[in-house]
Amino acid sequence: MNARKENTLNAFCFTDFDGKFHARLAAVIPRYFGVAEESKLAGTSARYQCRVKVEYQKDLMGLLEEGMLLAVKNFKQANQGEERFTLMEISRVWPEHFGLRGLSEHGYYPMQFEIIEQSEEDWQTDDKSTMMIQIDAIPINYDLILNEKCDFQFVKGFSYPVVGSRVYLLNSGMINRMYNQKIAQAFGIDPSKTVQDARADPRLGLIKMFQASETVIPIYVDFEKLVRYHFGVFAFTGGGKSNLMSNILRRILLHTSDTKVLVFDISCEYVFLLLDLLADPAFPAKVVMENKIDSLEQFFNSVVKPREYETDERIKVGLRQIMEQGKLAYYRRPRRKVPTYSQFMDELNEQRRGASDKPNYINAIDEIHDAILAYMEEHGTMENQEVTEDFVNYIDEVARAKVEEFKVHEKSGLYGWGTTRNMLIDRIRRKDEIEETDAGGLAIEKIRDLLEDKKTRLVCISIADPYTIKDLVLTLTQDFLVRRKRRFQVKPYILLVFDEAQEFIPSNASGIEAKCSVHVETLLRQGRKYGLGACIATQRVAYLNTNALQQLHTYFVGTLPRPYDRQVISETFMLDKGILEKTLEFAPGEWLLSSYIATGMENVPIFIKADNAENEIEKYLKEGN
């Protein structure tokens, strides 16, 4: 590469921090050799670890950061006028002093102290003969191809880099183009004019690079792919998990037109975190509480708020607007259970068990069963829907006729079943009467209808009772999936949010917990084909159903202090542990983002600083008071 071309590329793609960064690739070290235990320890995303040696500059240690991307020439042939580089991500940076490295624990003690004291002064110089900066970097399985006109492209796959060759550092402009160019064009925005305002800019936050130079690099994601292919948020208590999720949900709702959100809010905190949207008269939404709310004070006390907002009276203005706009409801538990079509057929099949030696009984049962299926096909109903009064009248007439036709004994169980079906009508009418007189209460069917309504964009179910909310999850996930399969429907997209996901998809459970885990896993496996997405958020990854976790295509990882949680993340998402360990240093609101589909670079870990959702709430509270 001639000097002129190198200068051009440096200006467009690379930076040397004003002549401070001079580095060479010293070694390419295999991470594992196919041994299962070694691969588990090393992580499964990278086959090699690269060691880079950098000439020491006293200011350079303050400029280099984990997560920055390096480029090194590789052995693959490029076309005429092109250069091909292997890309790698910095996982660790540390300075090294020649004198300290040679210091022996068995040396004369005064001499040891003299060497250590001298090294303190050396760090303040630019002495390249005594000191060096070492970098560990992980290949990200992409090549960068550049031509003389500074046109660039990224090619998936690993190419072995040339050991001893110069190492280049990608500049902020190139990082911005890598991650944001395609997505920003789709949004029709200019990333260089990024702002924190959620209504003006769909960014999630900033990329944590070049912070010492105060360079702002936003991070955008493809919301359609984020929703449809599921995402997860994992962080310990205090890591900003709910804050990040509310920010993502806010931007999805503000910057998409055909996405609806259903939040299963077992912690009862999203009414506050999404208060600016819920209280907006122009934004169609519904809050479903566990019990009927009779006063503003009761509503205020039912909402979980951050510590600094626990006594903030300004929140009541927004809550009052939610109530006045008719957006507040409560969940009405079923009092008289009306069977579904599938339960109705299960009852009929129970009669078959005791009639194996009576062919006429079997014939009667088959005729009634076929009549049920014919009715369902004609009326377009589904197995998980509750039976209607019209259906009961129809099947009662059919059942009576069949038990007479096939001479079913009047004292048999089948005869009793077939001639008492119209008793269900009273149960259905009582249920309808309750719904008509109790306008503030919502049954499961009404909640489902809200999201199938063209207007409603957000439904927040704030119920703290685990059994009640799990029962809702069981029914709604099944309903949405069955209905969309029958209708071959994909849009509008519906995002189902499971905060405190260990309550909904535990790894080892029984009873309703096990059923809930199976239903959510089924939704994750099949939902993307029908426009049903899911968000999984938890502080204890180790407790989750790993079959469900493996369906996530995008994930945000915050601080996870327990090693086993990090191990599950590393093995499930093929995330290198050298990169993952960096999360232990994160402050609240800092995240490791990686995605197979929703970011500008597939499956490349990015360190980001998410925008603070409380800023949006504070802005709303100031404007409304």
Side-chain angles (χ1 to χ4, degrees), residues 96-103 115 122-123 129-132:
E96 202 165 84
H97 191 286
F98 182 79
L100 292 176
R101 185 170 184 178
L103 192 65
I115 295 172
D122 292 342
W123 294 124
S129 63
T130 307
M131 293 163 293
M132 178 186 291

Side-chain angles (χ1 to χ4, degrees), residues 51 113 140 187 305 352 429:
R51 178 63 56 82
F113 275 105
I140 63 173
F187 278 123
K305 302 167 281 291
R352 185 188 298 272
R429 287 175 178 173

Side-chain angles (χ1 to χ4, degrees), residues 346-358:
D346 288 342
E347 290 180 13
L348 180 60
N349 290 332
E350 283 293 323
Q351 301 298 324
R352 185 188 298 272
R353 294 184 180 181
S356 57
D357 58 340
K358 301 181 179 67

Side-chain angles (χ1 to χ4, degrees), residues 353-365:
R353 294 184 180 181
S356 57
D357 58 340
K358 301 181 179 67
N360 58 325
Y361 285 28
I362 297 296
N363 290 335
I365 291 170

Side-chain angles (χ1 to χ4, degrees), residues 24 54 59 72 100 151 290 387 390 454 459 477 508 605 612:
R24 295 278 173 176
V54 187
D59 298 330
V72 187
L100 292 176
D151 294 326
E290 187 169 353
V387 299
D390 288 341
K454 293 182 179 179
V459 175
T477 52
N508 295 305
N612 189 350

Side-chain angles (χ1 to χ4, degrees), residues 156-438:
K156 185 77 171 174
F158 172 76
S159 301
Y160 200 94
V162 178
V163 178
S165 61
R166 182 173 177 182
V167 177
Y168 299 90
L169 183 67
L170 269 64
N171 62 27
S172 58
M174 193 63 182
I175 296 295
N176 202 342
R177 288 187 287 270
M178 282 176 60
Y179 290 119
N180 295 321
Q181 183 167 306
K182 292 180 181 179
I183 299 175
Q185 286 176 354
F187 278 123
I189 57 175
D190 183 356
S192 65
K193 299 178 181 178
T194 184
V195 293
Q196 192 174 356
D197 188 341
R199 293 179 181 269
D201 195 336
R203 78 178 198 189
L204 297 186
L206 303 177
I207 297 177
K208 279 175 56 62
M209 290 187 199
F210 304 99
Q211 292 182 315
S213 59
E214 299 183 354
T215 302
V216 175
I217 310 174
I219 180 66
Y220 298 94
V221 297
D222 185 322
F223 289 137
E224 179 179 333
K225 293 177 180 177
L226 182 74
V227 169
R228 191 169 178 180
Y229 293 90
H230 319 309
F231 65 98
V233 180
F234 312 112
F236 195 58
T237 302
K241 174 169 52 68
S242 299
N243 190 300
L244 172 68
M245 287 179 59
S246 64
N247 230 344
I248 295 173
L249 299 182
R250 179 179 286 103
R251 282 164 166 80
I252 288 173
L253 291 166
L254 289 173
H255 297 281
T256 63
S257 58
D258 58 355
T259 302
K260 299 171 178 286
V261 175
L262 171 61
V263 183
F264 293 101
D265 182 20
I266 197 170
S267 53
C268 301
E269 57 187 348
Y270 283 86
V271 174
F272 170 81
L273 291 170
L274 296 172
L275 184 63
D276 55 319
L277 293 183
L278 292 169
D280 186 347
F283 189 82
K286 184 73 78 172
V287 176
V288 183
M289 303 297 290
E290 187 169 353
N291 299 299
K292 188 174 182 179
I293 302 295
D294 296 317
S295 67
L296 178 61
E297 192 67 29
Q298 187 181 356
F299 193 16
F300 180 79
N301 293 332
S302 300
V303 175
V304 175
K305 302 167 281 291
R307 186 182 299 112
E308 57 270 26
Y309 287 96
E310 284 180 348
T311 58
D312 195 330
E313 294 290 319
R314 297 177 300 169
I315 297 171
K316 291 184 178 180
V317 176
L319 298 181
R320 182 182 291 109
Q321 290 176 336
I322 293 174
M323 297 177 72
E324 291 175 350
Q325 294 167 27
K327 294 179 178 178
L328 180 61
Y330 70 94
Y331 175 54
R332 190 183 64 252
R333 297 164 182 81
R335 301 178 190 178
R336 286 177 161 265
K337 191 69 174 177
V338 176
T340 62
Y341 287 93
S342 63
Q343 291 170 340
F344 201 93
M345 287 190 287
D346 288 342
E347 290 180 13
L348 180 60
N349 290 332
E350 283 293 323
Q351 301 298 324
R352 185 188 298 272
R353 294 184 180 181
S356 57
D357 58 340
K358 301 181 179 67
N360 58 325
Y361 285 28
I362 297 296
N363 290 335
I365 291 170
D366 288 342
E367 291 282 342
I368 298 171
H369 188 272
D370 290 345
I372 295 173
L373 293 178
Y375 182 93
M376 292 175 62
E377 184 175 347
E378 181 182 351
H379 292 81
T381 57
M382 291 171 280
E383 290 89 343
N384 62 326
Q385 286 183 252
E386 292 183 350
V387 299
T388 63
E389 185 175 342
D390 288 341
F391 169 77
V392 174
N393 287 327
Y394 163 77
I395 207 64
D396 179 63
E397 183 179 342
V398 171
R400 288 176 184 275
K402 295 304 176 184
V403 296
E404 293 293 335
E405 178 183 347
F406 290 97
K407 309 298 181 183
V408 175
H409 197 280
E410 62 183 14
K411 292 186 178 180
S412 67
L414 177 60
Y415 187 92
W417 183 92
T419 56
T420 58
R421 294 302 85 201
N422 61 359
M423 293 177 64
L424 279 173
I425 294 176
D426 180 59
R427 195 184 305 178
I428 294 170
R429 287 175 178 173
R430 285 177 178 269
K431 179 176 178 290
D432 292 339
E433 288 172 5
I434 292 171
E435 290 183 359
E436 290 176 3
T437 58
D438 191 2

